[in-house]
Amino acid sequence: MRLKYKILKTIVLNILAYFLLIIFFQSFYIRPKFKMFMESIISNEIQREIALLEKELESLHVTTRDYAIWDESYDFVIYKHKDYIEENLNYLSLKNIGVSLAAILDNNGNLIYGITRKNEEIKDYFDERLLDKFISTGLHKSNFVGFLEFDKDIYCFAGEGIHKSDGTGVRKGIIIFGKRLDEIKLNTQCKYEFINLLDLNKNELDKIERQIKSKNKVKINQKEVILTIENKDTYVAYYPIKDLTGNLLFLFKIYVPKDMENKIEYMGIVIALTILLFGILIVFILDFKFSKLINNPLEQIMNNIKDFTYKMENKLNIDLYGRKDEISDLAKSIDILKSEIISKQNNLEDINRRLEIRVKERTKELEIKNKEILLSDKILSETLEGVIILDFDKRILKVNKAIKNMFGFKEEDLIQNKIDILNFKFDNINFHNIFDIVQQKGYWRGEARIYNKNDVSLPVWLSATFYNLMEIKFIYLYYLIFHS
């Protein structure tokens, strides 16, 4: 791979790694942290909504308590005069105090008076059997505030025992005010609704049950709130509300916008894509700059090197010398190297020419020497005197015909064997001492007696000479000549 693409590949991989790092950081750090932050916001929002709902209950409770400690209410239970009803518990009164139902019971749970209002419709009576739930559970015997199903509607009820305003006298019964769930209006910016479980079919109830059993919950005021995502723009919180008997009655469904989370996720995506696009732009810019500043000069240098390698054309990169970077140093170094190579080549060619001349001269000398050796060998072979040539270790290198006749040996029996294979006898000297004398003086002459293969003796005159052949790698020879 070319340097240009290696660098671009490294840059692209770094940009992709940085892009993936941002995605990873956003997915596994920012998003969980932001989820915790959003859950905190949702919890606070739900707490505000629940506080508003509880405020409605408290407001109803205060109204009920005010009527319960009113002397006219106390007297009505005893005397049951109609003026109290006409002045205080008529349609307009109920509408003014914002309730849908009013009922007065004695201490035994018997209905003294009851009235309901639904929109513009008003009933100044209702079936006493509708109060059985209050009677059977004993709610009428004590004060209470909470929700309860009544006449197929869900009501927010508050019940308070009737006493005199000064605290004297015994409890004469209980006054109950109720407000239908669909008439409760919370002063909130969040969208909400009340889901009456009594109005749901089996499939809808099963869906609610699955949501209640889900693990995606947060605790608010010691109660579990179910969190789900309605759509890409909205969270939904289900706050389960039980009735006065402890049974689940309805769900307070609160819609919390995801606009902040969506904005942050959008910003994260925009930042990641911006970095990616910026990285791509950088790659294109660097590709252009790299081609202009590095790739083109390097190609010029490489082409000049190829021309030098294959054609020995020394084109100098002079136009790159003016750059103030490493390319200039590289161009100068390569041009210097090429000049040195050319100089070395010229020197080698000169040495080669002189060597060729010397080889020719030496070849001619060796040819002359060879002719001389051939002539010498011819003379040596035909001479009547016996000649033995030994190396420095006294091994026989060559013998002539006269020696073979004197000793009765074949040439192959003698060559490369030591001189000891031949039998010599001297009167006053040891044969091996002769070689020491020859090395010192260069020669030795004297009488000797030799014995041939058949042990027949023959007197001879021996001349031993030592040759140092300096021109042939310091080869040392002993040259023995026998005269019969």
Side-chain angles (χ1 to χ4, degrees), residues 85-100:
I85 298 297
E86 292 174 354
E87 292 177 3
N88 302 300
L89 294 179
N90 58 38
Y91 168 78
L92 190 58
S93 300
L94 294 183
K95 188 174 182 180
N96 288 337
I97 62 176
V99 297
S100 310

Side-chain angles (χ1 to χ4, degrees), residues 179-241:
K179 190 172 185 177
R180 281 201 324 277
L181 194 63
D182 57 7
E183 288 189 348
I184 295 176
K185 305 297 180 184
L186 302 180
N187 185 20
T188 176
Q189 294 180 348
C190 283
K191 181 183 174 183
Y192 70 90
E193 63 178 303
F194 299 109
I195 300 176
N196 187 350
L197 299 182
L198 302 174
D199 296 337
L200 302 181
N201 58 38
K202 186 178 183 306
N203 290 336
E204 291 171 330
L205 285 172
D206 290 341
K207 182 179 178 181
I208 293 294
E209 186 178 359
R210 286 194 299 272
Q211 288 177 337
I212 291 173
K213 291 180 179 179
S214 70
K215 296 180 180 180
N216 195 14
K217 299 176 183 178
V218 293
K219 274 200 170 184
I220 299 174
N221 296 338
Q222 304 302 316
K223 291 185 178 180
E224 287 186 337
V225 177
I226 305 156
L227 282 180
T228 60
I229 297 176
E230 182 81 358
N231 52 53
K232 66 178 183 177
D233 299 319
T234 310
Y235 281 110
V236 169
Y238 293 93
Y239 186 75
I241 295 180

Side-chain angles (χ1 to χ4, degrees), residues 360-395:
K360 288 179 181 179
E361 292 175 352
R362 185 59 180 164
T363 301
K364 191 171 182 180
E365 291 175 1
L366 290 175
E367 287 176 352
I368 295 171
K369 290 281 187 182
N370 188 47
K371 290 179 181 179
E372 292 176 354
I373 290 171
L374 289 174
L375 182 60
S376 299
D377 190 60
K378 180 69 174 175
I379 296 170
L380 180 65
S381 176
E382 298 298 331
T383 184
L384 297 177
E385 295 174 334
V387 179
I388 300 177
I389 300 174
L390 307 175
D391 62 15
F392 191 74
D393 293 326
K394 306 179 188 66
R395 292 185 181 276

